Structures are given as C-alpha cells and as structure tokens.
C-alpha cells in the first residue's frame, strides 16, 4: 500500500460484513515499507474470511487491499 497517514484493518466474513472491532495495524518490525496486523485466528470458527487493509494518505483517496483466507480444523 502507498505511504499513508493512517492504516486500518478489518476482518470481514465471506459476505463482506465486518466482524468485531478494527484490528491494530503497526509498522513491520524489520522496518520495511510494510504493515503488520495481529489477527487472533485461534478464536475464529471454520469458514472463509477476508482481511481488509486500508491506507489513507494525508491527501487523496484511500487505497484498499484484501486477503481472503479459510480457517479449517
């Protein structure tokens, strides 16, 4: 994602509906141009989910990325 003044992350269900509160986003621990999101997947039931990351620059349109994943036991 582009350089951003703010970054937010949300967990979505398979229909795109938000689950719970927004997730904390931090800078990557190795200092790279990346973001890190702590996602507690142990508490998720089996199913399909989407992690949505949004970067909003100081001026301009927000940029969104989505990562779909499946939890199986």
């Amino acid at each position: 994602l582009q350089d951003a003044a703010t970054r937010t992350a949300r967990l979505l269900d398979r229909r795109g509906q938000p689950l719970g509160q927004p997730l904390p986003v931090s800078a990557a621990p190795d200092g790279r141009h990346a973001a890190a999101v702590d996602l507690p997947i142990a508490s998720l039931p089996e199913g399909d989910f989407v992690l949505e990351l949004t970067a909003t620059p100081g001026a301009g349109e927000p940029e969104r990325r989505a990562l779909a994943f499946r939890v199986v036991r």
Side-chain angles (χ1 to χ4, degrees):
L1 291 171
Q2 62 188 327
D3 287 332
T6 61
R7 291 181 177 169
T8 58
R10 308 188 296 170
L11 182 63
L12 310 175
D13 66 14
R14 68 183 308 160
R15 295 178 312 275
Q17 299 301 310
L19 299 171
Q21 299 295 319
L23 300 166
V25 179
S26 58
D30 59 6
R32 294 182 309 156
H33 182 71
V37 177
D38 289 325
L39 178 62
I41 60 173
S43 64
L44 294 177
E46 288 189 351
D48 298 325
F49 300 92
V50 175
L51 178 63
E52 178 187 67
L53 183 62
T54 304
T56 306
E61 294 295 315
E63 183 179 353
R64 288 187 174 82
R65 294 285 189 271
L67 172 69
F69 64 96
R70 177 173 288 158
V71 174
V72 295
R73 308 267 184 236

